[in-house]
mmCIF file of all heavy atoms in Angstrom:
data_model
loop_
_atom_site.group_PDB
_atom_site.id
_atom_site.type_symbol
_atom_site.label_atom_id
_atom_site.label_comp_id
_atom_site.label_asym_id
_atom_site.label_seq_id
_atom_site.Cartn_x
_atom_site.Cartn_y
_atom_site.Cartn_z
ATOM 1 N N TYR A 1 13.568 -2.644 21.478
ATOM 2 C CA TYR A 1 12.741 -1.590 20.899
ATOM 3 C C TYR A 1 11.264 -1.851 21.182
ATOM 4 O O TYR A 1 10.813 -2.991 21.157
ATOM 5 C CB TYR A 1 12.942 -1.527 19.385
ATOM 6 C CG TYR A 1 14.337 -1.129 18.990
ATOM 7 C CD1 TYR A 1 15.279 -2.070 18.606
ATOM 8 C CD2 TYR A 1 14.708 0.201 18.998
ATOM 9 C CE1 TYR A 1 16.557 -1.688 18.234
ATOM 10 C CE2 TYR A 1 15.983 0.603 18.624
ATOM 11 C CZ TYR A 1 16.899 -0.358 18.244
ATOM 12 O OH TYR A 1 18.158 0.028 17.877
ATOM 13 N N THR A 2 10.533 -0.780 21.462
ATOM 14 C CA THR A 2 9.091 -0.885 21.677
ATOM 15 C C THR A 2 8.384 0.233 20.935
ATOM 16 O O THR A 2 8.965 1.279 20.639
ATOM 17 C CB THR A 2 8.724 -0.801 23.177
ATOM 18 O OG1 THR A 2 9.199 0.439 23.693
ATOM 19 C CG2 THR A 2 9.298 -1.957 23.965
ATOM 20 N N CYS A 3 7.126 0.009 20.662
ATOM 21 C CA CYS A 3 6.275 1.013 20.035
ATOM 22 C C CYS A 3 5.943 2.085 21.075
ATOM 23 O O CYS A 3 5.568 1.763 22.206
ATOM 24 C CB CYS A 3 4.996 0.339 19.535
ATOM 25 S SG CYS A 3 3.736 1.472 18.947
ATOM 26 N N ASN A 4 6.093 3.332 20.714
ATOM 27 C CA ASN A 4 5.774 4.420 21.648
ATOM 28 C C ASN A 4 4.276 4.615 21.841
ATOM 29 O O ASN A 4 3.865 5.300 22.770
ATOM 30 C CB ASN A 4 6.402 5.725 21.174
ATOM 31 C CG ASN A 4 7.890 5.749 21.375
ATOM 32 O OD1 ASN A 4 8.423 5.105 22.271
ATOM 33 N ND2 ASN A 4 8.592 6.489 20.542
ATOM 34 N N ASN A 5 3.476 4.014 20.992
ATOM 35 C CA ASN A 5 2.027 4.139 21.104
ATOM 36 C C ASN A 5 1.443 3.084 22.046
ATOM 37 O O ASN A 5 0.703 3.410 22.961
ATOM 38 C CB ASN A 5 1.382 4.045 19.723
ATOM 39 C CG ASN A 5 -0.088 4.318 19.745
ATOM 40 O OD1 ASN A 5 -0.561 5.193 20.447
ATOM 41 N ND2 ASN A 5 -0.827 3.557 18.971
ATOM 42 N N CYS A 6 1.807 1.821 21.836
ATOM 43 C CA CYS A 6 1.191 0.744 22.623
ATOM 44 C C CYS A 6 2.188 -0.046 23.472
ATOM 45 O O CYS A 6 1.797 -0.937 24.209
ATOM 46 C CB CYS A 6 0.439 -0.209 21.696
ATOM 47 S SG CYS A 6 1.512 -1.210 20.638
ATOM 48 N N GLU A 7 3.483 0.285 23.356
ATOM 49 C CA GLU A 7 4.545 -0.354 24.116
ATOM 50 C C GLU A 7 4.766 -1.823 23.757
ATOM 51 O O GLU A 7 5.403 -2.559 24.501
ATOM 52 C CB GLU A 7 4.318 -0.173 25.617
ATOM 53 C CG GLU A 7 4.085 1.274 25.962
ATOM 54 C CD GLU A 7 4.774 1.715 27.217
ATOM 55 O OE1 GLU A 7 5.339 0.886 27.917
ATOM 56 O OE2 GLU A 7 4.716 2.925 27.469
ATOM 57 N N GLU A 8 4.286 -2.254 22.609
ATOM 58 C CA GLU A 8 4.505 -3.611 22.110
ATOM 59 C C GLU A 8 5.930 -3.716 21.570
ATOM 60 O O GLU A 8 6.491 -2.758 21.041
ATOM 61 C CB GLU A 8 3.497 -3.917 20.999
ATOM 62 C CG GLU A 8 3.433 -5.343 20.578
ATOM 63 C CD GLU A 8 2.762 -6.240 21.609
ATOM 64 O OE1 GLU A 8 1.952 -5.763 22.406
ATOM 65 O OE2 GLU A 8 3.073 -7.445 21.600
ATOM 66 N N PHE A 9 6.542 -4.896 21.695
ATOM 67 C CA PHE A 9 7.882 -5.128 21.165
ATOM 68 C C PHE A 9 7.883 -5.006 19.649
ATOM 69 O O PHE A 9 6.969 -5.472 18.977
ATOM 70 C CB PHE A 9 8.363 -6.533 21.559
ATOM 71 C CG PHE A 9 9.610 -6.954 20.833
ATOM 72 C CD1 PHE A 9 10.846 -6.471 21.220
ATOM 73 C CD2 PHE A 9 9.540 -7.820 19.756
ATOM 74 C CE1 PHE A 9 11.992 -6.844 20.545
ATOM 75 C CE2 PHE A 9 10.684 -8.203 19.071
ATOM 76 C CZ PHE A 9 11.912 -7.715 19.470
ATOM 77 N N VAL A 10 8.904 -4.345 19.106
ATOM 78 C CA VAL A 10 9.146 -4.298 17.666
ATOM 79 C C VAL A 10 10.610 -4.636 17.431
ATOM 80 O O VAL A 10 11.465 -4.373 18.282
ATOM 81 C CB VAL A 10 8.806 -2.923 17.039
ATOM 82 C CG1 VAL A 10 7.312 -2.663 17.055
ATOM 83 C CG2 VAL A 10 9.538 -1.796 17.719
ATOM 84 N N THR A 11 10.898 -5.219 16.290
ATOM 85 C CA THR A 11 12.268 -5.623 16.006
ATOM 86 C C THR A 11 13.118 -4.429 15.587
ATOM 87 O O THR A 11 12.611 -3.386 15.168
ATOM 88 C CB THR A 11 12.321 -6.676 14.884
ATOM 89 O OG1 THR A 11 11.858 -6.071 13.676
ATOM 90 C CG2 THR A 11 11.472 -7.894 15.225
ATOM 91 N N ARG A 12 14.405 -4.598 15.668
ATOM 92 C CA ARG A 12 15.343 -3.575 15.233
ATOM 93 C C ARG A 12 15.146 -3.272 13.753
ATOM 94 O O ARG A 12 15.203 -2.119 13.327
ATOM 95 C CB ARG A 12 16.776 -4.040 15.494
ATOM 96 C CG ARG A 12 17.831 -3.032 15.071
ATOM 97 C CD ARG A 12 19.233 -3.486 15.448
ATOM 98 N NE ARG A 12 19.558 -4.806 14.959
ATOM 99 C CZ ARG A 12 20.146 -5.055 13.781
ATOM 100 N NH1 ARG A 12 20.468 -4.077 12.989
ATOM 101 N NH2 ARG A 12 20.414 -6.292 13.421
ATOM 102 N N ASP A 13 14.901 -4.310 12.961
ATOM 103 C CA ASP A 13 14.662 -4.114 11.534
ATOM 104 C C ASP A 13 13.380 -3.324 11.277
ATOM 105 O O ASP A 13 13.337 -2.481 10.378
ATOM 106 C CB ASP A 13 14.601 -5.451 10.792
ATOM 107 C CG ASP A 13 15.967 -6.110 10.691
ATOM 108 O OD1 ASP A 13 16.992 -5.395 10.761
ATOM 109 O OD2 ASP A 13 16.008 -7.337 10.530
ATOM 110 N N PHE A 14 12.335 -3.567 12.051
ATOM 111 C CA PHE A 14 11.094 -2.798 11.905
ATOM 112 C C PHE A 14 11.364 -1.325 12.177
ATOM 113 O O PHE A 14 10.933 -0.453 11.431
ATOM 114 C CB PHE A 14 10.010 -3.334 12.848
ATOM 115 C CG PHE A 14 8.692 -2.626 12.699
ATOM 116 C CD1 PHE A 14 7.771 -3.059 11.772
ATOM 117 C CD2 PHE A 14 8.388 -1.521 13.471
ATOM 118 C CE1 PHE A 14 6.558 -2.402 11.609
ATOM 119 C CE2 PHE A 14 7.180 -0.854 13.330
ATOM 120 C CZ PHE A 14 6.260 -1.300 12.391
ATOM 121 N N VAL A 15 12.119 -1.043 13.225
ATOM 122 C CA VAL A 15 12.452 0.341 13.568
ATOM 123 C C VAL A 15 13.298 0.971 12.474
ATOM 124 O O VAL A 15 13.081 2.119 12.085
ATOM 125 C CB VAL A 15 13.179 0.406 14.929
ATOM 126 C CG1 VAL A 15 13.684 1.810 15.215
ATOM 127 C CG2 VAL A 15 12.271 -0.068 16.046
ATOM 128 N N ARG A 16 14.243 0.231 11.934
ATOM 129 C CA ARG A 16 15.114 0.752 10.877
ATOM 130 C C ARG A 16 14.311 1.124 9.643
ATOM 131 O O ARG A 16 14.534 2.163 9.023
ATOM 132 C CB ARG A 16 16.171 -0.295 10.518
ATOM 133 C CG ARG A 16 17.127 0.153 9.419
ATOM 134 C CD ARG A 16 18.180 -0.904 9.120
ATOM 135 N NE ARG A 16 17.615 -2.209 8.825
ATOM 136 C CZ ARG A 16 17.144 -2.584 7.637
ATOM 137 N NH1 ARG A 16 17.160 -1.750 6.628
ATOM 138 N NH2 ARG A 16 16.664 -3.798 7.464
ATOM 139 N N VAL A 17 13.330 0.286 9.290
ATOM 140 C CA VAL A 17 12.556 0.516 8.071
ATOM 141 C C VAL A 17 11.429 1.522 8.287
ATOM 142 O O VAL A 17 11.222 2.414 7.469
ATOM 143 C CB VAL A 17 11.986 -0.818 7.534
ATOM 144 C CG1 VAL A 17 11.051 -0.583 6.365
ATOM 145 C CG2 VAL A 17 13.121 -1.759 7.137
ATOM 146 N N PHE A 18 10.697 1.403 9.382
ATOM 147 C CA PHE A 18 9.489 2.201 9.569
ATOM 148 C C PHE A 18 9.602 3.311 10.611
ATOM 149 O O PHE A 18 8.696 4.124 10.747
ATOM 150 C CB PHE A 18 8.314 1.296 9.943
ATOM 151 C CG PHE A 18 7.979 0.296 8.885
ATOM 152 C CD1 PHE A 18 8.213 -1.051 9.085
ATOM 153 C CD2 PHE A 18 7.448 0.698 7.669
ATOM 154 C CE1 PHE A 18 7.909 -1.982 8.111
ATOM 155 C CE2 PHE A 18 7.136 -0.217 6.684
ATOM 156 C CZ PHE A 18 7.371 -1.566 6.904
ATOM 157 N N GLY A 19 10.704 3.375 11.333
ATOM 158 C CA GLY A 19 10.862 4.382 12.374
ATOM 159 C C GLY A 19 11.357 5.714 11.858
ATOM 160 O O GLY A 19 11.619 5.896 10.674
ATOM 161 N N ASP A 20 11.502 6.638 12.793
ATOM 162 C CA ASP A 20 12.002 7.960 12.421
ATOM 163 C C ASP A 20 13.525 8.000 12.521
ATOM 164 O O ASP A 20 14.172 6.982 12.806
ATOM 165 C CB ASP A 20 11.338 9.051 13.275
ATOM 166 C CG ASP A 20 11.675 8.975 14.751
ATOM 167 O OD1 ASP A 20 12.555 8.177 15.145
ATOM 168 O OD2 ASP A 20 11.064 9.729 15.519
ATOM 169 N N SER A 21 14.109 9.155 12.342
ATOM 170 C CA SER A 21 15.568 9.281 12.341
ATOM 171 C C SER A 21 16.178 9.116 13.735
ATOM 172 O O SER A 21 17.389 8.969 13.858
ATOM 173 C CB SER A 21 15.978 10.634 11.758
ATOM 174 O OG SER A 21 15.435 11.686 12.522
ATOM 175 N N ASP A 22 15.350 9.122 14.769
ATOM 176 C CA ASP A 22 15.819 8.898 16.138
ATOM 177 C C ASP A 22 15.581 7.460 16.601
ATOM 178 O O ASP A 22 15.638 7.179 17.800
ATOM 179 C CB ASP A 22 15.120 9.855 17.099
ATOM 180 C CG ASP A 22 15.475 11.304 16.832
ATOM 181 O OD1 ASP A 22 16.644 11.575 16.474
ATOM 182 O OD2 ASP A 22 14.578 12.158 16.961
ATOM 183 N N ASP A 23 15.310 6.550 15.652
ATOM 184 C CA ASP A 23 15.035 5.134 15.952
ATOM 185 C C ASP A 23 13.852 4.958 16.895
ATOM 186 O O ASP A 23 13.901 4.183 17.844
ATOM 187 C CB ASP A 23 16.271 4.437 16.515
ATOM 188 C CG ASP A 23 17.350 4.248 15.466
ATOM 189 O OD1 ASP A 23 17.016 4.238 14.267
ATOM 190 O OD2 ASP A 23 18.523 4.091 15.842
ATOM 191 N N GLU A 24 12.795 5.691 16.645
ATOM 192 C CA GLU A 24 11.563 5.549 17.410
ATOM 193 C C GLU A 24 10.420 5.245 16.455
ATOM 194 O O GLU A 24 10.400 5.728 15.326
ATOM 195 C CB GLU A 24 11.247 6.831 18.172
ATOM 196 C CG GLU A 24 12.269 7.164 19.229
ATOM 197 C CD GLU A 24 11.829 8.348 20.073
ATOM 198 O OE1 GLU A 24 10.691 8.317 20.567
ATOM 199 O OE2 GLU A 24 12.626 9.283 20.203
ATOM 200 N N VAL A 25 9.474 4.443 16.926
ATOM 201 C CA VAL A 25 8.256 4.188 16.157
ATOM 202 C C VAL A 25 7.063 4.572 17.009
ATOM 203 O O VAL A 25 7.056 4.416 18.222
ATOM 204 C CB VAL A 25 8.130 2.714 15.693
ATOM 205 C CG1 VAL A 25 9.153 2.380 14.651
ATOM 206 C CG2 VAL A 25 8.209 1.745 16.838
ATOM 207 N N PHE A 26 6.051 5.125 16.354
ATOM 208 C CA PHE A 26 4.853 5.604 17.040
ATOM 209 C C PHE A 26 3.628 4.816 16.615
ATOM 210 O O PHE A 26 2.507 5.256 16.800
ATOM 211 C CB PHE A 26 4.672 7.100 16.759
ATOM 212 C CG PHE A 26 5.835 7.908 17.254
ATOM 213 C CD1 PHE A 26 6.880 8.220 16.410
ATOM 214 C CD2 PHE A 26 5.896 8.315 18.567
ATOM 215 C CE1 PHE A 26 7.963 8.950 16.858
ATOM 216 C CE2 PHE A 26 6.979 9.048 19.039
ATOM 217 C CZ PHE A 26 8.007 9.363 18.179
ATOM 218 N N GLY A 27 3.864 3.633 16.058
ATOM 219 C CA GLY A 27 2.813 2.730 15.646
ATOM 220 C C GLY A 27 3.438 1.441 15.155
ATOM 221 O O GLY A 27 4.566 1.446 14.650
ATOM 222 N N CYS A 28 2.735 0.345 15.340
ATOM 223 C CA CYS A 28 3.240 -0.962 14.934
ATOM 224 C C CYS A 28 2.059 -1.823 14.495
ATOM 225 O O CYS A 28 0.905 -1.409 14.627
ATOM 226 C CB CYS A 28 3.997 -1.606 16.087
ATOM 227 S SG CYS A 28 2.948 -2.100 17.477
ATOM 228 N N PRO A 29 2.308 -3.021 13.987
ATOM 229 C CA PRO A 29 1.199 -3.876 13.558
ATOM 230 C C PRO A 29 0.211 -4.242 14.677
ATOM 231 O O PRO A 29 -0.916 -4.616 14.405
ATOM 232 C CB PRO A 29 1.897 -5.127 13.032
ATOM 233 C CG PRO A 29 3.219 -4.632 12.576
ATOM 234 C CD PRO A 29 3.597 -3.568 13.571
ATOM 235 N N ALA A 30 0.617 -4.084 15.923
ATOM 236 C CA ALA A 30 -0.290 -4.375 17.032
ATOM 237 C C ALA A 30 -1.317 -3.263 17.241
ATOM 238 O O ALA A 30 -2.419 -3.516 17.733
ATOM 239 C CB ALA A 30 0.503 -4.590 18.317
ATOM 240 N N CYS A 31 -0.988 -2.020 16.858
ATOM 241 C CA CYS A 31 -1.905 -0.908 17.112
ATOM 242 C C CYS A 31 -2.305 -0.146 15.851
ATOM 243 O O CYS A 31 -3.105 0.782 15.936
ATOM 244 C CB CYS A 31 -1.312 0.046 18.148
ATOM 245 S SG CYS A 31 0.221 0.847 17.656
ATOM 246 N N MET A 32 -1.753 -0.535 14.700
ATOM 247 C CA MET A 32 -2.108 0.073 13.409
ATOM 248 C C MET A 32 -2.253 -1.040 12.388
ATOM 249 O O MET A 32 -1.658 -2.102 12.550
ATOM 250 C CB MET A 32 -0.993 0.998 12.902
ATOM 251 C CG MET A 32 -0.788 2.245 13.646
ATOM 252 S SD MET A 32 0.478 3.217 12.809
ATOM 253 C CE MET A 32 0.251 4.747 13.661
ATOM 254 N N ASN A 33 -3.002 -0.755 11.345
ATOM 255 C CA ASN A 33 -3.014 -1.738 10.269
ATOM 256 C C ASN A 33 -1.786 -1.506 9.398
ATOM 257 O O ASN A 33 -1.171 -0.437 9.427
ATOM 258 C CB ASN A 33 -4.330 -1.708 9.480
ATOM 259 C CG ASN A 33 -4.566 -0.405 8.759
ATOM 260 O OD1 ASN A 33 -3.690 0.100 8.073
ATOM 261 N ND2 ASN A 33 -5.762 0.142 8.914
ATOM 262 N N MET A 34 -1.393 -2.493 8.632
ATOM 263 C CA MET A 34 -0.170 -2.403 7.845
ATOM 264 C C MET A 34 -0.248 -1.326 6.767
ATOM 265 O O MET A 34 0.763 -0.774 6.367
ATOM 266 C CB MET A 34 0.192 -3.760 7.234
ATOM 267 C CG MET A 34 0.838 -4.708 8.223
ATOM 268 S SD MET A 34 2.267 -4.010 9.116
ATOM 269 C CE MET A 34 3.470 -3.862 7.806
ATOM 270 N N ARG A 35 -1.438 -0.991 6.323
ATOM 271 C CA ARG A 35 -1.574 0.093 5.346
ATOM 272 C C ARG A 35 -1.099 1.407 5.948
ATOM 273 O O ARG A 35 -0.388 2.183 5.307
ATOM 274 C CB ARG A 35 -3.019 0.193 4.894
ATOM 275 C CG ARG A 35 -3.238 1.208 3.812
ATOM 276 C CD ARG A 35 -4.670 1.151 3.348
ATOM 277 N NE ARG A 35 -4.880 2.108 2.287
ATOM 278 C CZ ARG A 35 -6.068 2.405 1.816
ATOM 279 N NH1 ARG A 35 -7.142 1.810 2.306
ATOM 280 N NH2 ARG A 35 -6.198 3.283 0.858
ATOM 281 N N GLU A 36 -1.471 1.674 7.187
ATOM 282 C CA GLU A 36 -1.017 2.880 7.873
ATOM 283 C C GLU A 36 0.490 2.859 8.077
ATOM 284 O O GLU A 36 1.172 3.859 7.850
ATOM 285 C CB GLU A 36 -1.720 3.020 9.225
ATOM 286 C CG GLU A 36 -3.186 3.321 9.124
ATOM 287 C CD GLU A 36 -3.881 3.272 10.472
ATOM 288 O OE1 GLU A 36 -3.648 2.332 11.246
ATOM 289 O OE2 GLU A 36 -4.658 4.202 10.738
ATOM 290 N N VAL A 37 1.014 1.717 8.517
ATOM 291 C CA VAL A 37 2.453 1.587 8.744
ATOM 292 C C VAL A 37 3.218 1.836 7.446
ATOM 293 O O VAL A 37 4.184 2.603 7.411
ATOM 294 C CB VAL A 37 2.798 0.193 9.326
ATOM 295 C CG1 VAL A 37 4.296 -0.021 9.374
ATOM 296 C CG2 VAL A 37 2.196 0.038 10.719
ATOM 297 N N MET A 38 2.785 1.217 6.353
ATOM 298 C CA MET A 38 3.468 1.351 5.072
ATOM 299 C C MET A 38 3.385 2.773 4.522
ATOM 300 O O MET A 38 4.262 3.201 3.782
ATOM 301 C CB MET A 38 2.891 0.372 4.045
ATOM 302 C CG MET A 38 3.072 -1.082 4.402
ATOM 303 S SD MET A 38 4.756 -1.628 4.338
ATOM 304 C CE MET A 38 5.005 -1.687 2.589
ATOM 305 N N ASN A 39 2.369 3.530 4.889
ATOM 306 C CA ASN A 39 2.217 4.911 4.423
ATOM 307 C C ASN A 39 2.921 5.924 5.325
ATOM 308 O O ASN A 39 2.770 7.120 5.131
ATOM 309 C CB ASN A 39 0.734 5.278 4.292
ATOM 310 C CG ASN A 39 0.106 4.660 3.070
ATOM 311 O OD1 ASN A 39 0.782 4.442 2.068
ATOM 312 N ND2 ASN A 39 -1.175 4.385 3.139
ATOM 313 N N GLY A 40 3.667 5.458 6.321
ATOM 314 C CA GLY A 40 4.481 6.363 7.126
ATOM 315 C C GLY A 40 3.940 6.726 8.485
ATOM 316 O O GLY A 40 4.572 7.508 9.203
ATOM 317 N N ALA A 41 2.818 6.203 8.875
ATOM 318 C CA ALA A 41 2.238 6.575 10.164
ATOM 319 C C ALA A 41 3.072 6.088 11.347
ATOM 320 O O ALA A 41 3.049 6.702 12.404
ATOM 321 C CB ALA A 41 0.809 6.042 10.279
ATOM 322 N N ALA A 42 3.837 5.031 11.190
ATOM 323 C CA ALA A 42 4.653 4.522 12.291
ATOM 324 C C ALA A 42 5.747 5.507 12.677
ATOM 325 O O ALA A 42 6.141 5.589 13.834
ATOM 326 C CB ALA A 42 5.257 3.169 11.938
ATOM 327 N N ALA A 43 6.238 6.257 11.714
ATOM 328 C CA ALA A 43 7.300 7.232 11.992
ATOM 329 C C ALA A 43 6.748 8.540 12.530
ATOM 330 O O ALA A 43 7.407 9.242 13.282
ATOM 331 C CB ALA A 43 8.125 7.492 10.744
ATOM 332 N N SER A 44 5.525 8.870 12.152
ATOM 333 C CA SER A 44 4.998 10.186 12.521
ATOM 334 C C SER A 44 4.011 10.150 13.679
ATOM 335 O O SER A 44 3.759 11.165 14.283
ATOM 336 C CB SER A 44 4.318 10.817 11.320
ATOM 337 O OG SER A 44 3.175 10.071 10.938
ATOM 338 N N GLY A 45 3.404 8.997 13.913
ATOM 339 C CA GLY A 45 2.431 8.906 14.989
ATOM 340 C C GLY A 45 1.033 9.344 14.629
ATOM 341 O O GLY A 45 0.155 9.432 15.467
ATOM 342 N N ARG A 46 0.799 9.643 13.358
ATOM 343 C CA ARG A 46 -0.554 10.036 12.934
ATOM 344 C C ARG A 46 -0.994 9.118 11.814
ATOM 345 O O ARG A 46 -0.202 8.533 11.130
ATOM 346 C CB ARG A 46 -0.584 11.487 12.479
ATOM 347 C CG ARG A 46 0.342 11.812 11.354
ATOM 348 C CD ARG A 46 0.294 13.307 11.032
ATOM 349 N NE ARG A 46 1.458 13.718 10.313
ATOM 350 C CZ ARG A 46 1.737 13.434 9.050
ATOM 351 N NH1 ARG A 46 0.904 12.695 8.356
ATOM 352 N NH2 ARG A 46 2.818 13.847 8.463
ATOM 353 N N SER A 47 -2.268 9.014 11.649
ATOM 354 C CA SER A 47 -2.819 8.162 10.609
ATOM 355 C C SER A 47 -2.447 8.713 9.249
ATOM 356 O O SER A 47 -2.620 9.884 8.967
ATOM 357 C CB SER A 47 -4.335 8.085 10.741
ATOM 358 O OG SER A 47 -4.857 7.253 9.745
ATOM 359 N N ALA A 48 -1.911 7.834 8.385
ATOM 360 C CA ALA A 48 -1.496 8.260 7.050
ATOM 361 C C ALA A 48 -2.259 7.516 5.961
ATOM 362 O O ALA A 48 -1.819 7.430 4.837
ATOM 363 C CB ALA A 48 0.005 8.028 6.890
#
């Protein structure tokens, strides 16, 4: 699995928790801060 924003590796568990229903993430700790990730930005691709 990789982040669709920065192409950094993400774990399967990260995708399961923070990704969308298609098992994709649009942000990760390498390109977003954890506050954004925890607020849902990783699944939607926009700052949350």
Side-chain angles (χ1 to χ4, degrees):
Y1 295 100
T2 59
C3 172
N4 287 332
N5 186 40
C6 70
E7 308 221 353
E8 191 73 25
F9 169 78
V10 291
T11 65
R12 180 176 54 91
D13 289 336
F14 183 88
V15 173
R16 180 179 53 82
V17 173
F18 298 111
D20 65 8
S21 60
D22 295 323
D23 290 337
E24 295 187 51
V25 291
F26 299 94
C28 69
C31 63
M32 290 184 168
N33 64 49
M34 282 308 292
R35 184 175 181 189
E36 291 172 315
V37 172
M38 297 291 287
N39 284 330
S44 65
R46 58 183 160 72
S47 181

